[in-house]
Amino acid sequence: MPETKRMAEEAKRMGEDAQAHAMGVGHEYQKAMESGFEVASRSIGEVNRGLQAIAAPEMPDFSKRRFEDIFQSWEQLLRARSFGDVIDAQARYAQRAYDAYTSEMSKLGKMYVGTTHTASEPIERV
């Protein structure tokens, strides 16, 4: 009988240890989940800020400059006196449009890379 009692106490102790260990693992898992959620939240916030910086001032300014250039080109076309003047105005517009487009795409690319880098910093710190 004393042996049965000792085995019961040992089983009870092992059950309590297992329960305590399970609770500890549960708390660690919960902390990890909260940390992951916070990191993901910060990362998404950085992406949002970056996209707002690109969309808010950058794209309307680019569009406004392109519109102004189009109107300037139309004025040149309307003032053209010969077919050669028309070709020259179109060629100058095409060159300006190409230069503006490549410049803007390069600038936007750098902004997107910067946004990606900034958004990944919270994840890298974990």
Side-chain angles (χ1 to χ4, degrees), residues 7-23:
M7 287 175 61
E9 288 174 358
E10 183 67 23
K12 181 180 177 184
R13 187 191 58 76
M14 287 175 62
E16 289 170 351
D17 288 348
Q19 184 179 9
H21 181 70
M23 288 181 70

Side-chain angles (χ1 to χ4, degrees), residues 19-92:
Q19 184 179 9
H21 181 70
M23 288 181 70
V25 169
H27 287 300
E28 288 179 31
Y29 179 76
Q30 184 177 3
K31 280 191 238 177
M33 289 299 293
E34 288 172 357
S35 174
F37 180 74
E38 289 172 9
V39 167
S41 208
R42 283 195 304 268
S43 181
I44 290 170
E46 291 298 328
V47 168
N48 189 23
R49 278 190 283 285
L51 293 177
Q52 284 177 351
I54 291 168
E58 194 59 38
M59 295 312 292
D61 289 347
F62 177 73
S63 297
K64 181 181 176 188
R65 289 189 308 266
R66 294 295 81 220
F67 251 176
E68 290 170 355
D69 194 33
I70 289 169
F71 285 124
Q72 181 185 13
S73 294
W74 271 104
E75 287 175 354
Q76 290 173 355
L77 285 172
L78 293 174
R79 281 189 255 130
R81 299 281 183 220
S82 68
F83 184 68
D85 291 343
V86 170
I87 297 299
D88 186 47
Q90 286 179 333
R92 281 184 282 150

